[in-house]
Amino acid sequence: MQLNLNKPICFFDLETTGTNVAQDRIVEISILKVFPNGNKESHTWKVNPGVPIPKQAADIHGITDEMVANEPSFKELAPKVMALLKDSDLGGFNSNRFDIPLLAEELLRAEIDLDLKKAQSVDVQTIFHKMEKRTLGAAYQFYCGKDLEDAHSAEADTNATYEVLLAQLDRYEGLENDVKHLAEFSSHKNFADFAGFVGYDKEGREIFTFGKYKGTLVEDVLDKEPGYFGWLLNADFPLYTKKVLTRIKLNRFNNKLL
């Protein structure tokens, strides 16, 4: 089975200091870029996160402070990462809920304006869970008949994810070999941001999905209570969520000037 592509797709995996999208940092990133003609390009980098790596995280992926002490920061690597991801779709394992949101945060910190929301994103874990309800190691054994060596190594996980997707396409007749279909099938709820703080109503308008204004139009809240916007920007929300809220506020302001 070959993946049917109209443009490149980048499968990627992150090893991090933790699971908090707004606060944690990347310590390893691996990207496997697959082109429509079947060619592949692979890159893996260790990353100095600029903060101590907690022992509980190091126990999982095996990357310690000493191992990344002389590695580049993500800001230094960001131009190379952007060059790979630009004009490509995305693929990963649990990527819609974790890897893509955290990568978006790191790109914003590096002042790289690459909106990952514009890419189709295929989450192989979601496809797997909808079909079989298992983990990546079990998925690799189930679909590919192989044991996943070096689990929680970004490169091993990335290559296994790509192989699992190809095997899924072979196995399930109803699964279309089309990135748009795969992205839709593997998506969860549609949100304006990655973290799910801003959703859409039935008319496609942005609404808050949390707190005292849950279900209320964002633009109405920002109009009636300007101080709430300031609180949101200063609170511990992901940078991408703040970017979305700022865009909504600026659009509202510009519309009033027309």
Short mmCIF file of all heavy atoms in Angstrom, two decimals, residues 219 250-258:
data_model
loop_
_atom_site.label_atom_id
_atom_site.label_comp_id
_atom_site.label_asym_id
_atom_site.label_seq_id
_atom_site.Cartn_x
_atom_site.Cartn_y
_atom_site.Cartn_z
N GLU A 219 -16.83 36.99 20.68
CA GLU A 219 -16.86 38.41 20.35
C GLU A 219 -17.82 39.18 21.25
O GLU A 219 -17.56 40.34 21.61
CB GLU A 219 -17.23 38.61 18.88
CG GLU A 219 -18.57 38.05 18.46
CD GLU A 219 -18.84 38.25 16.97
OE1 GLU A 219 -17.88 38.33 16.19
OE2 GLU A 219 -20.03 38.33 16.61
N LEU A 250 -9.31 41.54 17.09
CA LEU A 250 -8.90 42.47 16.03
C LEU A 250 -9.90 42.48 14.88
O LEU A 250 -10.20 43.54 14.31
CB LEU A 250 -7.51 42.09 15.52
CG LEU A 250 -6.34 42.37 16.47
CD1 LEU A 250 -5.04 41.82 15.88
CD2 LEU A 250 -6.22 43.86 16.75
N ASN A 251 -10.43 41.30 14.53
CA ASN A 251 -11.44 41.24 13.47
C ASN A 251 -12.68 42.02 13.86
O ASN A 251 -13.28 42.73 13.05
CB ASN A 251 -11.81 39.79 13.17
CG ASN A 251 -10.73 39.06 12.41
OD1 ASN A 251 -9.82 39.67 11.86
ND2 ASN A 251 -10.80 37.74 12.38
N ARG A 252 -13.07 41.86 15.13
CA ARG A 252 -14.25 42.59 15.64
C ARG A 252 -14.02 44.10 15.59
O ARG A 252 -14.87 44.87 15.17
CB ARG A 252 -14.51 42.15 17.09
CG ARG A 252 -15.76 42.74 17.71
CD ARG A 252 -17.02 42.21 17.09
NE ARG A 252 -18.19 42.52 17.87
CZ ARG A 252 -19.44 42.34 17.43
NH1 ARG A 252 -19.65 41.84 16.25
NH2 ARG A 252 -20.45 42.65 18.21
N PHE A 253 -12.81 44.51 15.99
CA PHE A 253 -12.46 45.94 15.98
C PHE A 253 -12.45 46.50 14.56
O PHE A 253 -12.99 47.58 14.28
CB PHE A 253 -11.09 46.14 16.63
CG PHE A 253 -10.61 47.55 16.63
CD1 PHE A 253 -11.14 48.49 17.52
CD2 PHE A 253 -9.62 47.96 15.74
CE1 PHE A 253 -10.71 49.80 17.53
CE2 PHE A 253 -9.18 49.28 15.73
CZ PHE A 253 -9.71 50.20 16.62
N ASN A 254 -11.87 45.74 13.64
CA ASN A 254 -11.79 46.20 12.25
C ASN A 254 -13.18 46.28 11.61
O ASN A 254 -13.46 47.18 10.81
CB ASN A 254 -10.90 45.27 11.43
CG ASN A 254 -9.44 45.38 11.81
OD1 ASN A 254 -9.01 46.44 12.28
ND2 ASN A 254 -8.68 44.31 11.61
N ASN A 255 -14.05 45.32 11.96
CA ASN A 255 -15.42 45.35 11.42
C ASN A 255 -16.18 46.56 11.90
O ASN A 255 -17.02 47.12 11.17
CB ASN A 255 -16.16 44.07 11.81
CG ASN A 255 -15.65 42.86 11.07
OD1 ASN A 255 -15.07 42.97 9.98
ND2 ASN A 255 -15.84 41.67 11.63
N LYS A 256 -15.91 47.01 13.12
CA LYS A 256 -16.59 48.19 13.65
C LYS A 256 -16.15 49.46 12.92
O LYS A 256 -16.88 50.45 12.85
CB LYS A 256 -16.30 48.35 15.15
CG LYS A 256 -17.04 47.35 16.02
CD LYS A 256 -16.74 47.60 17.49
CE LYS A 256 -17.53 46.65 18.38
NZ LYS A 256 -17.24 46.91 19.82
N LEU A 257 -14.92 49.43 12.38
CA LEU A 257 -14.41 50.61 11.68
C LEU A 257 -14.96 50.73 10.28
O LEU A 257 -14.90 51.80 9.68
CB LEU A 257 -12.89 50.54 11.61
CG LEU A 257 -12.13 50.64 12.95
CD1 LEU A 257 -10.63 50.53 12.71
CD2 LEU A 257 -12.46 51.96 13.66
N LEU A 258 -15.50 49.62 9.75
CA LEU A 258 -16.02 49.64 8.37
C LEU A 258 -17.36 50.38 8.29
O LEU A 258 -18.14 50.37 9.21
CB LEU A 258 -16.19 48.20 7.87
CG LEU A 258 -14.89 47.40 7.76
CD1 LEU A 258 -15.19 45.99 7.30
CD2 LEU A 258 -13.93 48.07 6.79
#
